Amino acid sequence: MTDSAEYRAANDAVRSHFFKRVWQLTTPYWRSEEKGMAWLLLIVVIVLSLVGVGLNVWLNSWYRDFYNALQNKDLKSFIHLMLMFCGIAAVFILTAVYRLYLTQMLTIRWRRWLTERHFAAWLGDKNYYRLEQRGHTDNPDQRLSEDLNSFTDTTLTLGLGLIRNLVSLVSFSVILWGVSGSIELFGITIAGYMFWAALLYAAVGSWLTHLIARRLIGLNNRQQRYEADLRFGLVRVRENAESIALYNGEANENERLMTRFRNVWGNFWELMKVQKRLTFFSSGYAQVATVFPFIVAAPRYFSGQIQLGELMQINSAFGNVQDGLSWFIDAYASLANWRATCDRLLSFRSAMAETTHESANIDVRKTGGDLQLQHLSLCLSDGRELLEPSSLTVKTGEHLLIGGPSGGGKSTLLRAMSGLWRFGSGVVQMPDARCLFVPQKPYLPIGTLAQALSYPEQAGQYSAEHLAEVLRLCRLETLIPRLDDADHWQRVLSPGEQQRLAVARALLYAPSWLFLDEATSALDEADEAALYQVLLEQLPGVTLVSIGHRASLKRFHPRQLRLEERRLRETEAVLPA
């Protein structure tokens, strides 16, 4: 097999695989619990589209009679035809309005269904976290919002447009074949020659369009990614405004944003060049198509074989046939956008599927009453070892403090216990009880303070009195009047206040096991000790597993370990006073 043949075979395989995956993305909705309404809306929209085609066919005959009436100066027929036109126009308007309305209804219902499934897949099994850790995809927010919207809208628009064009093509091809007559060329009589002229004209145009604009798919894909990168950079500046301002980092951020914008700029220029060439061709193609049927039909008209009405009917039928055959030309830019959208969605879904089905080397189980590590080893994604195979048992009520140098793997150890970290080997047996992990930088959702405090539970889970009480215990009395205020609390509260709020959240959640990853590092030792005292008093049955560097924490944890040099070592306990 030659290189070119191998290349064509490889491209055919890619296209076949692409359409198979798009089919798998498209069809589930039409077999889902909403299939009844979905198919009903689709059928009604198709019927309305066919009614529109039928009206165009009717108008084709109307044009013949109308122009004949004008040529013959037949006033009675003229008035009758104008009244007929008013009725056709009214039906056409109603059909167009409800076809658009019902298409939009079907689009938003399909988008809602797809969004629900993709949200569930993205948030399920911690996929959102693992995708970020592994760097599988860029800008998942774009894929879950813009791409799903574009996919449903463009798929229905292109699909319905193709059906409408096919029906119109068949209908007007029959008309054009009947009215175009025959012509003798080089001694050969060609029947229905206007139809063959339209077919040849559209085929040459489609071929040239593909040659001119085939780069649009890749360019549109990159443009969407660059635009999303720029938006993400702008959001990062907003999220970290105070830190950037304190560093006087405006010049640095400006250069970073401009670097991303230069990608947008450069790729857009390439898009402009391709679209300019495509517009030159498509505009010229459309202009020539306006007069082409008159030129081809002129010999029969001037020889007296047909009247003005037949000439105008031929022109209308030729235009509709040529439009149907030129659907690929008119829809090429939309097809390129659709292909780019599908590529992004399919790559995102593939990444989620790989993350979901990838084997976890660390076996995390939830059973029994104690925490046990059995021959647990940890490493980074590049294979660098953080912890040699180690075993450990923490009994219920046995408060444990894990120390060690920064970057030694302490937080990674907690991630392995929670089931987030998969790089390593061994078994983690988590207690079959209510557990809560509190990170160093707590997450505070945008919304009311009550919602941020109640997270991960809903705000209505706790009474206002209970919320106010835990705020008092954590020395956040000033926030009690703001429980119903909505704000971006990670910007409003200081790091220390955020950590106090996270401890208050733990008091509400009331876990049996509480894992704290330097969760009080932004507080001074006195405040830290006060919060630990509150935890032990308010949650008498809790077991604490803490990561921290301060010696003052030791008195709250009768058992202490250090993770250093890739080993877990017991250290001398400091008993509480």
Side-chain angles (χ1 to χ4, degrees), residues 255-502:
E255 179 58 30
R256 289 173 182 273
L257 292 174
M258 286 306 301
T259 298
R260 297 190 178 197
F261 181 72
R262 280 190 284 272
N263 290 333
V264 174
W265 166 276
N267 194 75
F268 191 74
W269 269 104
E270 292 300 314
L271 267 173
M272 287 170 56
K273 293 175 185 176
V274 176
Q275 288 174 338
K276 181 182 73 173
R277 293 194 290 269
L278 179 60
T279 304
F280 261 124
F281 175 75
S282 59
S283 297
Y285 178 88
Q287 292 302 314
V288 173
T290 303
V291 297
F292 186 76
F294 289 111
I295 295 173
V296 179
R300 295 186 68 216
Y301 175 72
F302 287 111
S303 66
Q305 297 180 46
I306 57 175
Q307 288 188 308
L308 178 63
E310 282 77 16
L311 177 64
M312 299 307 296
Q313 184 183 25
I314 289 172
N315 175 64
S316 174
F318 182 94
N320 281 280
V321 170
Q322 183 264 330
D323 284 344
L325 292 171
S326 303
W327 178 83
F328 178 76
I329 297 173
D330 299 331
Y332 196 93
S334 297
L335 284 168
N337 276 323
W338 178 80
R339 173 63 189 262
T341 298
C342 290
D343 284 340
R344 289 191 300 272
L345 273 177
L346 292 173
S347 64
F348 179 58
R349 287 164 60 88
S350 295
M352 286 199 297
E354 290 173 10
T355 304
T356 300
H357 294 108
E358 68 181 3
S359 58
N361 295 326
I362 300 174
D363 182 11
V364 181
R365 309 168 185 172
K366 198 162 187 179
T367 179
D370 299 333
L371 168 64
Q372 294 184 21
L373 310 182
Q374 300 172 12
H375 305 290
L376 177 67
S377 66
L378 301 174
C379 60
L380 299 177
S381 57
D382 59 8
R384 185 164 61 89
E385 191 176 48
L386 291 176
L387 176 66
E388 296 176 352
S390 304
S391 297
L392 172 70
T393 298
V394 182
K395 296 186 178 298
T396 302
E398 186 179 28
H399 306 314
L400 172 67
L401 175 64
I402 303 174
S406 296
K410 301 184 300 299
S411 296
T412 304
L413 178 60
L414 250 62
R415 293 190 189 106
M417 294 177 185
S418 69
L420 290 181
W421 198 259
R422 296 187 172 188
F423 303 107
S425 61
V427 177
V428 175
Q429 182 176 302
M430 290 290 292
D432 186 14
R434 191 173 174 87
C435 300
L436 180 66
F437 289 80
V438 181
Q440 183 177 12
K441 186 178 180 181
Y443 168 67
L444 305 179
I446 298 174
T448 66
L449 182 61
Q451 291 172 330
L453 180 57
S454 303
Y455 191 86
E457 306 285 358
Q458 298 295 329
Q461 187 82 7
Y462 309 105
S463 66
E465 293 77 12
H466 197 179
L467 297 176
E469 177 61 24
V470 296
L471 288 177
R472 288 192 194 92
L473 289 170
C474 296
R475 301 183 183 179
L476 292 171
E477 300 90 342
T478 55
L479 295 179
I480 294 175
R482 303 194 61 188
L483 279 171
D484 294 326
D485 292 355
D487 214 326
H488 193 324
W489 296 104
Q490 282 184 273
R491 293 181 184 175
V492 173
L493 303 179
S494 69
E497 288 175 320
Q498 292 180 39
Q499 289 190 342
R500 288 175 181 275
L501 193 70

Side-chain angles (χ1 to χ4, degrees), residues 96-319:
V97 168
Y98 280 98
R99 185 180 71 225
L100 175 62
Y101 176 74
L102 294 176
T103 301
Q104 290 176 333
M105 182 187 297
L106 178 57
T107 301
I108 195 62
R109 290 175 67 91
W110 189 10
R111 181 188 176 188
R112 177 188 55 78
W113 190 89
L114 278 175
T115 300
E116 288 175 351
R117 270 68 186 170
H118 281 75
F119 277 1
W122 184 55
L123 294 172
D125 199 30
K126 305 290 191 294
N127 274 331
Y128 62 95
Y129 171 80
R130 296 194 177 97
L131 286 173
E132 291 296 320
Q133 292 298 110
R134 299 178 68 90
H136 271 322
T137 55
D138 59 275
N139 305 301
D141 53 308
Q142 175 192 337
R143 286 154 168 75
L144 292 167
S145 176
E146 294 180 20
D147 287 344
L148 283 177
N149 180 36
S150 177
F151 172 75
T152 53
D153 180 55
T154 310
T155 300
L156 283 174
T157 300
L158 291 174
L160 293 171
L162 179 59
I163 293 173
R164 189 164 55 248
N165 273 279
L166 287 175
V167 174
S168 177
L169 176 61
V170 172
S171 302
F172 283 101
S173 294
V174 173
I175 294 173
L176 184 61
W177 186 279
V179 300
S180 62
S182 60
I183 190 172
E184 189 170 325
L185 190 65
F186 303 116
I188 302 173
T189 301
I190 303 175
Y193 77 100
M194 290 293 292
F195 170 78
W196 297 114
L199 181 62
L200 179 62
Y201 187 76
V204 173
S206 299
W207 177 65
L208 291 175
T209 297
H210 179 64
L211 290 181
I212 293 169
R214 56 188 171 184
R215 290 184 60 213
L216 281 176
I217 294 173
L219 289 171
N220 277 316
N221 206 337
R222 286 198 294 273
Q223 189 68 21
Q224 290 291 335
R225 186 173 75 250
Y226 292 151
E227 294 281 5
D229 287 343
L230 178 60
R231 287 194 300 271
F232 179 73
L234 293 169
V235 171
R236 287 280 294 168
V237 172
R238 289 177 53 205
E239 293 286 343
N240 299 278
E242 183 176 346
S243 298
I244 294 170
L246 290 172
Y247 274 114
N248 292 320
E250 293 82 7
N252 188 299
E253 292 301 322
N254 184 63
E255 179 58 30
R256 289 173 182 273
L257 292 174
M258 286 306 301
T259 298
R260 297 190 178 197
F261 181 72
R262 280 190 284 272
N263 290 333
V264 174
W265 166 276
N267 194 75
F268 191 74
W269 269 104
E270 292 300 314
L271 267 173
M272 287 170 56
K273 293 175 185 176
V274 176
Q275 288 174 338
K276 181 182 73 173
R277 293 194 290 269
L278 179 60
T279 304
F280 261 124
F281 175 75
S282 59
S283 297
Y285 178 88
Q287 292 302 314
V288 173
T290 303
V291 297
F292 186 76
F294 289 111
I295 295 173
V296 179
R300 295 186 68 216
Y301 175 72
F302 287 111
S303 66
Q305 297 180 46
I306 57 175
Q307 288 188 308
L308 178 63
E310 282 77 16
L311 177 64
M312 299 307 296
Q313 184 183 25
I314 289 172
N315 175 64
S316 174
F318 182 94

